[in-house]
Amino acid sequence: MEFLLERGRSRDREALFEALVGVVAVPLHRYLSRRTDPGSVDDVLAETMVVLWRRLEDVPELGAGRPVDPAGVLPWCYGVARGCLANARRAEGRRQRLVDRLTRVARPAASWPGAAESGDGELDHALRKLSPLDREVLLLWAWEELAPREIAEAMGTTPNAVSIRLHRAKKKLAAMLERKNAEMAGQMPGEGHGRSDR
């Protein structure tokens, strides 16, 4: 009898996991594709799914007998994917350092670890100049369309801290792009804004 109950619980858990995967697989794949090289995406996604399976009971707003709400589960799942990506980057860094040591060949500098470029050279250049945390908050807001509360959950911080960091990151990015545009137009920053130099 206990065996049958256990088997039933196992089937329920599998069904719940399949429902979760059906909701989060595509957004998580998109999230990872924008942050790492194409060859690593599937591996990191698979690792993310393993963690989600192991921690299924920890996923917020996920319960048997009710539909999976993307808004309820995605921020937490982004946080898991972010952690798996960080682990993969650390492992790759260790592997690369070993290869470098063995071959004594320096690795070429990348724009940022595993970055997917936006296609806009000026924007990519400005994003590279942001700190990794500022860049991640900004990209979660812009690319994944998460609200500060959801970003906070994904990054393991508070919504207030995210709002402040997001506001500052947007200002920094705007200032860099404005400065770049002014320089390209042959104008120094601060010139041509109603100031008269007589």
Side-chain angles (χ1 to χ4, degrees), residues 109-183:
S111 54
W112 68 78
E117 303 277 312
S118 71
D120 179 330
E122 291 173 37
L123 176 59
D124 293 333
H125 181 73
L127 284 169
R128 281 193 292 275
K129 289 187 164 194
L130 292 175
S131 73
L133 277 177
D134 283 352
R135 188 170 47 243
E136 181 68 358
V137 165
L138 199 56
L139 294 180
L140 281 167
W141 172 77
W143 284 356
E144 312 311 330
E145 301 177 357
L146 295 184
R149 175 185 56 76
E150 297 167 322
I151 296 169
E153 189 170 346
M155 295 187 70
T157 186
T158 66
N160 189 45
V162 167
S163 294
I164 292 167
R165 186 173 288 279
L166 180 60
H167 176 73
R168 289 180 183 160
K170 284 194 227 175
K171 278 178 67 173
K172 286 179 199 171
L173 187 66
M176 284 188 273
L177 291 173
E178 187 177 303
R179 197 165 41 246
K180 184 75 174 166
N181 288 337
E183 288 167 9

Side-chain angles (χ1 to χ4, degrees), residues 7-195:
R7 206 160 112 190
R9 278 194 293 268
S10 178
R11 266 197 232 115
D12 289 346
R13 194 171 195 277
E14 286 172 19
L16 190 58
F17 179 69
E18 285 174 17
L20 177 66
V21 169
V23 167
V24 303
V26 171
L28 289 178
H29 189 276
R30 188 172 54 239
Y31 170 87
L32 293 167
S33 296
R34 291 171 170 165
R35 284 163 177 79
T36 191
D37 62 280
S40 301
V41 172
D42 289 339
D43 289 341
V44 179
L45 182 61
E47 181 60 29
T48 302
M49 293 304 169
V50 168
V51 174
L52 291 179
W53 169 256
R54 267 194 248 122
R55 299 192 57 197
L56 194 61
E57 289 73 22
D58 298 333
V59 180
E61 299 187 36
L62 182 68
R66 60 180 177 179
V68 179
D69 175 23
V73 298
L74 261 174
W76 193 86
C77 294
Y78 281 133
V80 171
R82 187 170 179 265
C84 290
L85 184 56
N87 290 341
R89 285 179 178 159
R90 280 192 292 274
E92 176 58 22
R94 286 192 298 271
R95 188 194 68 75
Q96 189 61 51
R97 283 191 297 277
L98 178 60
V99 169
D100 288 349
R101 208 175 311 143
L102 292 173
T103 60
R104 299 197 188 287
V105 174
R107 179 170 49 149
S111 54
W112 68 78
E117 303 277 312
S118 71
D120 179 330
E122 291 173 37
L123 176 59
D124 293 333
H125 181 73
L127 284 169
R128 281 193 292 275
K129 289 187 164 194
L130 292 175
S131 73
L133 277 177
D134 283 352
R135 188 170 47 243
E136 181 68 358
V137 165
L138 199 56
L139 294 180
L140 281 167
W141 172 77
W143 284 356
E144 312 311 330
E145 301 177 357
L146 295 184
R149 175 185 56 76
E150 297 167 322
I151 296 169
E153 189 170 346
M155 295 187 70
T157 186
T158 66
N160 189 45
V162 167
S163 294
I164 292 167
R165 186 173 288 279
L166 180 60
H167 176 73
R168 289 180 183 160
K170 284 194 227 175
K171 278 178 67 173
K172 286 179 199 171
L173 187 66
M176 284 188 273
L177 291 173
E178 187 177 303
R179 197 165 41 246
K180 184 75 174 166
N181 288 337
E183 288 167 9
M184 288 178 70
Q187 182 179 24
M188 293 302 291
E191 285 183 351
H193 297 289
R195 200 179 75 189

